[in-house]
Amino acid sequence: MRVLIIEDEEKTADYLHRGLTEQGYTVDVARDGVEGLHLALESDYAVIVLDVMLPGIDGFGVLRALRARKQTPVIMLTARERVEDRIRGLREGADDYLGKPFSFLELVARLQALTRRSGGHEPVQVTVDDLWIDLISRKASRAGSRLDLTAKEFALLSVLARRQGEILSKTSIAEMVWDINFDSDANVVEVAIKRLRAKLDGPFEHKLLHTIRGMGYVLERRSV
Amino acid sequence: MFKRPNGLNSIALRLSAMFTLVALLVFVLIGGALYQQVDKGIGLLPEAELDARFSVLESSINRFGNPDHWAKISAKLTLLSEEDKRIRFWAVSGDPHYEYGAPDAQIRAFAQSPTGVRDLYIPGKAAPYKVLINQIPAKEQRPALRFLIAINTETFRQTQHHLLVALISLAIIGVLLASALGYWVAHIGLKPLIKLSQEAQKLAPPRLSGRLKLSPLAPELEQLVSAFNSTLDRVEQAYTRLESFNADVAHELRSPLTNLIGQTQVALTRGRSAEHYFEVLQSNLEELERLRSIINDMLFLASADQGSKASKLTRASLAGEVATTLDYLEFILEDAQVTVQVSGDAEVNIETAHLRRALINLLSNAVQHTEAGQQIEVLIEHTGKRASISISNPGQAISAEHLPRLFERFYRVDAARHNSGANHGLGLAIVKAIALMHGGDVFVRSADGRNTFGLYLPV
C-alpha cells in the first residue's frame, strides 16, 4: 500500500519513513509543498500524511489544490493544536487530523482506519495460540478451560485479540473499549490489563499478554 | 507621556461651552421677558399722561363760555406747552375766536377723526405724536369744539431703545463672564482627575504593585479608583500566577528531560548489550510520553485561556454522563474498594468528551483520597439557571489557605511532588478550564469530614 508523507521536518520525515516501511507500507517522502503536490497528483496513493506548516505551499494550499482533482484520503499533521485549524482542515477536505506531539502508534491506527477496506466482515471467532474467543456468544477459553471474564474484561480481550500481534497504545485501547479518546488522570487501562492478565495468563506458564513499556500492550504467542 | 487635556474633547472646554450656552439661554429668556414687560409699560405711559392732562383741563374749559375765559384758557395752554416741550394743544371749532394752536388743514382734517387716542404723523418728525381727540360741547357763546392734546413719543422710543441696548450689552457681558468663570471652575473641579491620571501614568507594567491613593479624593472618583485598583489586583495576580506557572512548567519538563539526557548519556558512554539499549529506549519512551501528556494538557489549557468555547454541544443527562464515567472507572473503584452513590439529575448542553474528562479527573481525584470501604457521593442539582455536580468524599479537612488555589495549575497541597504517571498536577486545572469553556465554574468545600469538589454548568 503506497503512502505519501509531505513533511519538511527531517527527523519526523525519516522516522515516519522507516516506521511505516516496517509496517508494510510503500513510502514516498516529499520535503515541501510543491514537490508533495506534484507527487500526490502524479501517482496514486492509498493515503497522504500532510504537515500543515510547509515551505513553498502550506498544507492547506496543498490540500485545496489536491481536492480540486483527487479524493485521496489525507491525514493532516500540525503543531498548532488550535480548534480553528482543525475545523479549517476538515472543512477543506482532510479526512483526519493529528496534533503534534502525536504518537506513532496513533498515526498507524489512523492510517489503518482510513485504508481499511469497507465490507471486510468481522471475524466470529479468534484464536491466539491456545486461547479461543467466540465474539458472538462472548465466551473465551484457554487450553480448554473456560475463562470467567466480566463484560469489560471480555471487551478488552476481544480488542486485543482481533489485533493480535499489533501493539495497541493505552489511548487507543481506551477509545476502543470505553469510547474515551483523551488523556485523563485515571490509569484505567493499566488496572484493566492487570485484571485481565491475572485471569488470562495467571494460571498458565505461557504468557500471551505482553506490556511494551512506553508504548502499550500486545496479545501474541511469543516463542520462549 | 502625560498628554495635556486640550482639543475639542477637553472636559474643561466642553463644560465651559455648556456654561456659556446655559448663560446665553438664561439671559435671553430673562432679558426678553423683562423687555416685553417694560415695553408694554412704556407703551401705556403716553395715553395715561394724555388722559390725566385732559381731565384737568376739561373742567376749566367747561366752566365758562365767553371770550375772556377762552383767552385765559389759551394763555394756560401756552404756558403748559412751554413748560413741557413734548406737549401740544389744539382746539378746532368753526369760530376762529375759539380756536387754539393755529390748526392747519392737516390738523383740522385730523380733528374730525372719531374721538379717542390716535397717532399723528407730522412731516419732519421721526416719531408720531399720540393725540387724544375729545369733543367739548358748546357752552354759552362758545361753539362745540374738538380739543386735541398731543404728546411727542420720541422720548418714549428713546427710553425703549436705551433699555434694549442696556439689556443686550448686559447679556453679552454676562455670557462672557459665565464662560470664563465656567472654564476656571471646570479647571479647578477637574484637578483631582488630572492628578489621578498623572498618578495612574506612573503605574507601568513592571510596577504592578503600586495602587492609586484613595484618601484625598472626591467621592465621585472613589468608585473609579477602587474599580481601577481592583482591576490592578486581578492583573497582578494573573501576572504572578503566569510567572509561577512558567516556573512550574519548566520544573515539570525539567525532570523528565533530566532523566532522558542522563540515561541516554550513560547508555552511550560504553558499548552495551542490545537488551540494555532496549531498556533505555523503553524508559526514554515513558519519559517522553509524560512530556507529551504535559504538553497536550498545557495546550488544552492554553486554548481554553484564549477563550475557546465548548462547541458540538449536545443535550445530555448529567446522571447519564456520571454513569458512563463510573463505568469507565469501574476497575479503579473496585481496586480501591470504594463505592459511589449518585443522586439527582439535570439536563444540560455539554460537549460530552470534555465533560467526561472533567468527571473522570474529579472522580479519580476523589478515589485517590478515599480510604477503602468508604463511599463517594455524587449529587446532581438543578437550581434556577444552573446545574451543579458535587463529588464529595470522606477525608481529612483541607485547610482554608489551600481551598481557593486547588484548581490552579500544578498546585499541590503537599509540597512533596509525587510524579506518578498521568498525574502531573493539571487535572483540576483542566476541570476548571472545561467548566469555563461551558460558561460555568468550579467550587470546592471542606466541611464536616467531607471534601467536596464540583462544577456548575448553565442550563
Side-chain angles (χ1 to χ4, degrees):
Chain A
M1 211 173 292
R2 289 187 78 185
V3 175
L4 173 63
I5 296 165
I6 309 177
E7 166 67 83
D8 64 316
E9 235 275 293
E10 212 164 305
K11 277 195 173 185
T12 312
D14 283 351
Y15 92 76
L16 287 179
H17 185 222
R18 186 189 301 267
L20 291 177
T21 306
E22 282 170 7
Q23 291 284 320
Y25 292 97
T26 308
V27 181
D28 289 339
V29 175
R31 303 283 183 181
D32 62 60
V34 181
E35 188 196 348
L37 181 59
H38 176 75
L39 283 174
L41 292 173
E42 291 306 305
S43 322
D44 283 322
Y45 291 97
V47 64
I48 295 170
V49 179
L50 175 61
D51 188 32
V52 167
M53 277 187 278
L54 288 172
I57 321 172
D58 77 353
F60 293 121
V62 173
L63 181 64
R64 216 173 302 124
L66 176 71
R67 279 288 171 268
R69 288 180 44 194
K70 276 184 152 178
Q71 290 305 315
T72 316
V74 170
I75 296 184
M76 306 256 320
L77 304 179
T78 178
R80 285 182 295 177
E81 174 90 1
R82 277 178 33 201
V83 185
E84 305 94 83
D85 276 7
R86 188 183 300 246
I87 291 169
R88 187 177 162 201
L90 293 178
R91 195 177 51 220
E92 292 190 8
D95 299 83
D96 208 338
Y97 184 101
L98 268 180
K100 289 179 183 175
F102 59 87
S103 100
F104 179 69
L105 290 182
E106 180 90 8
L107 177 66
V108 172
R110 306 278 181 110
L111 280 178
Q112 283 172 343
L114 278 180
T115 54
R116 195 165 292 145
R117 281 174 184 77
S118 54
H121 50 82
E122 291 285 297
V124 176
Q125 295 183 343
V126 185
T127 50
V128 183
D129 195 32
D130 57 350
L131 169 70
W132 173 85
I133 303 168
D134 187 328
L135 295 170
I136 303 291
S137 63
R138 306 180 71 77
K139 282 176 191 150
S141 59
R142 194 168 170 196
S145 57
R146 172 85 182 269
L147 297 178
D148 182 23
L149 301 176
T150 65
K152 278 281 173 295
E153 286 161 358
F154 184 85
L156 176 59
L157 179 62
S158 58
V159 159
L160 286 160
R162 269 186 294 188
R163 289 171 169 73
Q164 55 178 295
E166 205 178 288
I167 301 168
L168 294 180
S169 69
K170 288 182 200 168
T171 315
S172 47
I173 291 174
E175 186 167 0
M176 285 185 279
V177 178
W178 289 277
D179 194 24
I180 296 284
N181 52 1
F182 46 81
D183 294 338
S184 71
D185 281 3
N187 49 347
V188 171
V189 176
E190 278 168 49
V191 176
I193 290 282
K194 205 170 81 191
R195 292 172 151 239
L196 178 62
R197 180 172 277 149
K199 291 180 179 175
L200 177 71
D201 284 341
F204 300 94
E205 186 83 7
H206 206 67
K207 308 298 180 197
L208 292 179
L209 182 49
H210 309 280
T211 304
I212 312 295
R213 274 178 67 200
M215 289 181 88
Y217 305 94
V218 61
L219 188 74
E220 67 185 353
R221 180 199 149 88
R222 280 188 180 173
S223 46
V224 184
Chain B
M1 264 306 291
F2 181 70
K3 200 163 159 269
R4 288 214 58 84
N6 53 14
L8 288 176
N9 279 329
S10 149
I11 295 181
L13 268 184
R14 284 201 296 182
L15 278 178
S16 90
M18 280 186 268
F19 280 135
T20 311
L21 274 178
V22 168
L24 192 66
L25 196 73
V26 168
F27 277 116
V28 164
L29 281 178
I30 292 184
L34 191 68
Y35 180 75
Q36 259 195 341
Q37 281 303 317
V38 172
D39 187 41
K40 212 192 261 173
I42 291 176
L44 291 174
L45 278 179
E47 288 182 32
E49 191 165 349
L50 291 174
D51 277 341
R53 294 214 175 228
F54 180 71
S55 56
V56 171
L57 287 169
E58 189 185 23
S59 52
S60 53
I61 292 172
N62 269 337
R63 196 167 298 147
F64 301 106
N66 53 50
D68 277 356
H69 182 66
W70 186 251
K72 276 181 200 158
I73 294 291
S74 297
K76 189 174 182 182
L77 291 177
T78 309
L79 196 67
L80 283 173
S81 17
E82 270 164 13
E83 261 175 20
D84 188 341
K85 299 286 185 204
R86 298 172 305 153
I87 306 287
R88 290 188 65 172
F89 302 95
W90 289 283
V92 180
S93 64
D95 187 344
H97 291 104
Y98 293 96
E99 286 198 337
Y100 179 79
D104 57 9
Q106 188 203 0
I107 298 296
R108 280 178 196 286
F110 184 75
Q112 296 317 309
S113 323
T115 55
V117 178
R118 336 224 138 252
D119 287 336
L120 172 64
Y121 294 90
I122 293 176
K125 298 274 187 184
Y129 277 84
K130 284 267 179 217
V131 184
L132 175 65
I133 305 172
N134 273 299
Q135 173 79 14
I136 294 179
K139 177 135 187 179
E140 297 165 8
Q141 296 120 332
R142 177 172 58 78
L145 51 84
R146 287 257 165 185
F147 189 72
L148 282 68
I149 309 175
I151 186 161
N152 190 343
T153 55
E154 183 63 34
T155 48
F156 299 105
R157 275 193 137 213
Q158 274 172 3
T159 311
Q160 262 173 319
H161 183 71
H162 290 323
L163 178 69
L164 191 65
V165 169
L167 278 177
I168 288 175
S169 17
L170 264 177
I172 289 172
I173 292 169
V175 166
L176 286 179
L177 207 61
S179 83
L181 286 175
Y183 184 77
W184 185 61
V185 165
H187 198 73
I188 290 178
L190 288 173
K191 261 203 178 129
L193 200 60
I194 292 169
K195 228 178 88 189
L196 192 64
S197 21
Q198 278 166 343
E199 219 178 296
Q201 283 292 319
K202 293 181 199 148
L203 301 175
R207 270 171 292 159
L208 279 173
S209 53
R211 292 291 179 271
L212 297 179
K213 285 186 226 63
L214 255 174
S215 43
L217 268 181
E220 290 89 339
L221 289 177
E222 265 170 30
Q223 259 188 328
L224 174 71
V225 167
S226 58
F228 189 85
N229 280 345
S230 71
T231 306
L232 271 181
D233 281 344
R234 285 198 296 274
V235 169
E236 194 189 0
Q237 275 170 22
Y239 195 76
T240 318
R241 258 207 304 275
L242 192 69
E243 284 189 329
S244 69
F245 178 58
N246 284 340
D248 286 337
V249 166
H251 182 90
E252 288 293 326
L253 296 181
R254 191 162 51 186
S255 55
L257 280 174
T258 309
N259 293 347
L260 279 169
I261 294 170
Q263 283 183 152
T264 311
Q265 283 174 338
V266 168
L268 290 176
T269 42
R270 62 184 64 174
R272 309 269 179 193
S273 66
E275 261 168 56
H276 187 95
Y277 288 129
F278 195 62
E279 267 301 290
V280 170
L281 280 176
Q282 286 190 324
S283 166
N284 280 359
L285 193 53
E286 281 173 354
E287 295 299 323
L288 290 165
E289 278 293 332
R290 210 165 102 200
L291 287 176
R292 185 178 73 96
S293 160
I294 295 173
I295 288 170
N296 277 343
D297 284 353
M298 281 173 13
L299 286 173
F300 182 83
L301 290 172
S303 80
D305 281 349
Q306 283 162 17
S308 150
K309 293 276 165 224
S311 51
K312 293 188 292 188
L313 293 179
T314 46
R315 196 147 186 89
S317 141
L318 288 180
E321 291 304 314
V322 170
T324 310
T325 310
L326 289 175
D327 180 51
Y328 175 63
L329 294 174
E330 185 191 335
F331 293 147
I332 299 228
L333 291 166
E334 281 176 17
D335 263 26
Q337 294 169 46
V338 169
T339 53
V340 179
Q341 193 208 331
V342 185
S343 53
D345 193 9
E347 291 249 317
V348 287
N349 291 323
I350 47 160
E351 185 164 349
T352 43
H354 284 343
L355 185 76
R356 281 180 197 171
R357 186 174 187 179
L359 289 175
I360 289 170
N361 288 358
L362 283 175
L363 279 163
S364 47
N365 184 56
V367 173
Q368 278 169 26
H369 296 97
T370 307
E371 297 194 4
Q374 296 195 295
Q375 192 175 52
I376 295 171
E377 279 168 22
V378 180
L379 177 62
I380 302 165
E381 287 172 303
H382 183 173
T383 44
K385 283 183 181 169
R386 66 184 188 181
S388 67
I389 309 176
S390 344
I391 293 167
S392 73
N393 63 286
Q396 276 193 340
I398 305 170
S399 65
E401 50 164 317
H402 295 307
L403 282 180
R405 303 193 58 194
L406 285 173
F407 286 96
E408 283 178 18
R409 291 150 200 206
F410 298 120
Y411 189 78
R412 283 190 175 94
V413 173
D414 43 346
R417 288 155 187 266
H418 35 84
N419 287 321
S420 63
N423 206 347
H424 44 67
L426 289 175
L428 289 178
I430 284 175
V431 172
K432 182 172 184 180
I434 288 171
L436 294 178
M437 284 165 86
H438 283 85
D441 206 351
V442 288
F443 58 87
V444 57
R445 289 187 292 271
S446 180
D448 307 324
R450 295 191 81 83
N451 296 324
T452 307
F453 289 76
L455 48 99
Y456 297 115
L457 294 169
V459 173

